[in-house]
Amino acid sequence: MFENLSSIWRKGDGRKVGHGMEPAPFGSLDEILGINMRNALIAKYNPRSAIERARDKVAAKVALEAAGIACTGTIAVIDDHQKLNAFKPLRDMPDAWAIKPARGSQGDGIVLSVRREGDTWYKGSGSPLTETDVMHHIQKVVDGGFSGDTVSEDAALIEPLIIADPTLADLVPEGLPDLRVICLHDEPIMAMLRLPTNASDGKANLHQRAIGAGVDLVTGQITRALVRGEVITHHPDTGTKLIGYQVPGWDRVLELAGKCGPAIGLGYSGSDIVLDKNDGPLIIEVNAHPGIEIQNICQLGLKAQMARLGEDFK
């Protein structure tokens, strides 16, 4: 049985990071999870059927909601041309929404509307979207234009636009921050907050110069923040101090993250969570192949955290 990692940290083992303290550096390379070891963990704990379920945002949401896990809402799922032909955006879509390819990755193919004026929607950038624009994009999604694999067709998942928790929204100039929580089975082992910047065009994508901020698993406070490997203490656009920031609803965040892997059938997973103004923490996606860059951001080794839970890497 795995011991609760939060309990281990509270006991104190020389690795706990307190408020306002620089995280301790890696003790040794033996603490770090490399890509080959990560892939071995995925092969060990993540069955192919569960990986496919996680990759399909629609199938994943069905599994999560069946387990009683709070997810972002659903306006429509368009997975064939019959549904596409019957869909009328001006009739069926609200003023603010998100269109996502069910099998897309890294934000490819996602389109957001923040408001509507008359028969026209507007992106956060101010660019207009007509009903024809929306239909053309949905058709491209359904035709597999963003699926990134050999699948010939995909599904367009249309969701209400998330309104970020006001305290979190104050950290960023625009865009929607999100959290990534890595779990082994039902136990959270590492977490980071991803914060959009002007340079990232309002997207919480680390490769596009969004901020990666390590979050202390026990306190829910930011301990360290980086942009493309450069350590920072304040948001470069808003000037808001990041170190010591308390993530709202932290206990709920960990509770949700710990339920996601088992609900989908994954033993090793990365849950992506947004903090909605009205509904609090919501799951937006569960990743069956979470990256290992989080270790550089948190200055902790995933291998060491899993070893403390009893994982045997031999």
Side-chain angles (χ1 to χ4, degrees):
M1 179 66 67
F2 290 105
E3 184 176 1
N4 183 284
L5 189 58
S6 296
S7 298
I8 294 173
W9 281 359
R10 288 189 176 100
K11 291 174 186 176
D13 65 352
R15 297 292 296 172
K16 176 69 175 67
V17 178
H19 172 72
M21 296 172 59
E22 177 68 17
F26 295 124
S28 71
L29 290 176
D30 289 339
E31 295 189 1
I32 301 172
L33 186 73
I35 192 67
N36 290 337
M37 190 173 293
R38 185 210 66 163
N39 291 343
L41 273 172
I42 290 169
K44 179 179 179 181
Y45 287 128
N46 294 354
R48 172 53 56 183
S49 60
I51 292 174
E52 288 301 314
R53 189 177 303 117
R55 189 166 179 219
D56 186 324
K57 294 180 180 66
V58 175
K61 181 178 280 193
V62 169
L64 293 169
E65 290 179 341
I69 298 170
C71 301
T72 51
T74 301
I75 296 169
V77 176
I78 302 174
D79 54 8
D80 59 38
H81 285 83
Q82 182 176 352
K83 292 179 182 178
L84 178 64
N85 292 333
F87 190 72
K88 305 296 182 185
L90 289 174
R91 180 194 67 195
D92 300 329
M93 296 177 72
D95 295 351
W97 43 256
I99 299 173
K100 303 176 181 180
R103 298 181 65 85
S105 62
Q106 296 190 1
D108 194 21
I110 294 178
V111 172
L112 309 177
S113 161
V114 299
R115 72 182 194 280
R116 175 177 164 180
E117 296 177 8
D119 291 346
T120 303
W121 291 274
Y122 290 88
K123 299 181 182 180
S125 63
S127 300
L129 290 165
T130 66
E131 184 173 40
T132 299
D133 294 331
V134 173
M135 287 298 291
H136 283 168
H137 185 76
I138 294 174
Q139 180 170 349
K140 185 174 180 180
V141 172
V142 173
D143 288 342
F146 304 102
S147 62
D149 57 21
T150 58
V151 176
S152 60
E153 294 184 346
D154 200 352
L157 176 60
I158 305 175
E159 299 178 335
L161 188 70
I162 297 297
I163 306 300
D165 182 290
T167 60
L168 197 59
D170 286 345
L171 291 180
V172 301
E174 64 173 331
L176 181 66
D178 67 16
L179 289 147
R180 162 66 61 88
V181 182
I182 305 292
C183 294
L184 183 64
H185 303 296
D186 63 352
E187 190 64 44
I189 56 175
M190 201 167 292
M192 67 175 170
L193 181 62
R194 296 179 292 203
L195 299 166
T197 63
N198 286 332
S200 72
D201 195 27
K203 298 178 181 178
N205 189 319
L206 300 185
H207 299 293
Q208 296 178 353
R209 297 194 66 83
I211 298 167
V215 180
D216 184 285
L217 211 61
V218 174
T219 67
Q221 294 177 342
I222 292 178
T223 59
R224 189 169 186 265
L226 292 89
V227 177
R228 282 285 185 91
E230 178 184 351
V231 177
I232 60 174
T233 59
H234 293 68
H235 195 290
D237 304 316
T238 65
T240 304
K241 183 180 179 181
L242 301 176
I243 308 305
Y245 171 81
Q246 176 69 52
V247 177
W250 185 242
D251 289 343
R252 179 63 173 158
V253 167
L254 294 182
E255 179 187 355
L256 285 179
K259 292 178 178 179
C260 289
I264 290 179
L266 301 171
Y268 180 65
S269 63
S271 296
D272 292 344
I273 301 171
V274 291
L275 303 180
D276 182 73
K277 177 182 178 180
N278 299 313
D279 297 324
L282 299 171
I283 301 297
I284 54 172
E285 189 172 353
V286 182
N287 198 308
H289 299 82
I292 55 178
E293 175 63 18
I294 191 172
Q295 298 174 109
N296 292 328
I297 292 167
C298 294
Q299 283 290 281
L300 292 169
L302 281 166
K303 182 181 177 183
Q305 313 315 313
M306 286 185 277
R308 291 189 179 101
L309 293 176
E311 177 64 28
D312 184 0
F313 291 92
K314 294 180 181 179

